[in-house]
Amino acid sequence: MPDDEWHVNAAWARRLASISLVFVALQGAVGLWQGWAAGSVALIAWALGAVPEGLAGAVVIWRFTGARMLSDTAERRAQIVVAVSFWLMAPYIVAESLRHLFVRHHAESTVIGIALAAIALLMMPVLGRAQRRLGTRLASAATAGEGAQSYLCAIQAAAVLAGLAVTANWSGGWWLDPVVGLAVAAIAVWQGFRSWRGDDCGC
């Protein structure tokens, strides 16, 4: 039977998942608004990442609520959903990135998008580290996978920042935005396989 420390860690997993849900909702709404306004596939891809991130957070809350807290079946289901969530956005991002490359689309810069990505770059690694540690303590691949989602969000944010900065200062760097989009899609697919196997928590 899980001890008191396990239950405390499970409560923290729920709290961190709730914090993540609030932030990714903001990331998704503002990121899509600014991404479409600027024509930036990298920013749109990052904003769309809010969908699987939010799904991962909701799954962790579901996993550690009520009778499911002690269910191995619930853990495996949660792990699968988190893994699949990594793959949801990849096809769209790849298609849009390739289209932008072929038509040589030039994205615009956006101050709001830069500010949002900078906040994520500072916040998400801290959140991801805490989630990964809790995932290990709880032997929960779903929780560890959510932590990986947070790290991926920070990586995307850094790439978006670089792309927007290059776009703002060098017209010849138009290709960086769709290349960042393709890189984000590749990382998401790879992380989905890691989550499916439980690699993030050694489960």
Side-chain angles (χ1 to χ4, degrees), residues 1 13 16 21 43 51 56 64-65 76 99 121 129 136 146 159 161 164 168 170 176 186 194:
M1 289 288 292
L16 293 183
L21 273 173
L43 187 52
V51 176
F64 290 108
T65 302
R76 179 56 185 163
R99 185 177 70 83
L121 184 58
R129 182 171 184 269
T136 299
E146 189 192 13
L161 277 174
L164 291 175
W170 178 37
L176 184 60
R194 284 181 54 83

Side-chain angles (χ1 to χ4, degrees), residues 8 41 68 89 100 129 174:
V8 169
V41 69
R68 288 182 296 273
M89 62 180 180
H100 282 210
R129 182 171 184 269
W174 64 269

Side-chain angles (χ1 to χ4, degrees), residues 146-158:
E146 189 192 13
Q149 286 272 22
S150 297
Y151 279 126
L152 180 59
C153 178
I155 293 169
Q156 290 177 259

Side-chain angles (χ1 to χ4, degrees), residues 78-172:
Q79 180 181 342
I80 290 171
V81 171
V82 171
V84 171
S85 74
F86 279 104
W87 301 324
L88 291 179
M89 62 180 180
Y92 172 81
I93 297 170
V94 170
E96 280 298 287
S97 297
L98 292 175
R99 185 177 70 83
H100 282 210
L101 278 172
F102 288 139
V103 303
R104 299 175 65 88
H105 175 77
H106 291 250
E108 301 294 330
S109 185
T110 160
V111 174
I112 297 175
I114 289 173
L116 183 64
I119 292 171
L121 184 58
L122 294 174
M123 173 183 170
M124 297 311 282
V126 177
L127 186 61
R129 182 171 184 269
Q131 290 165 330
R132 292 286 290 273
R133 291 176 67 182
L134 283 171
T136 299
R137 293 173 185 173
L138 295 166
S140 170
T143 305
E146 189 192 13
Q149 286 272 22
S150 297
Y151 279 126
L152 180 59
C153 178
I155 293 169
Q156 290 177 259
V160 167
L161 277 174
L164 291 175
V166 169
T167 299
N169 297 287
W170 178 37
S171 60

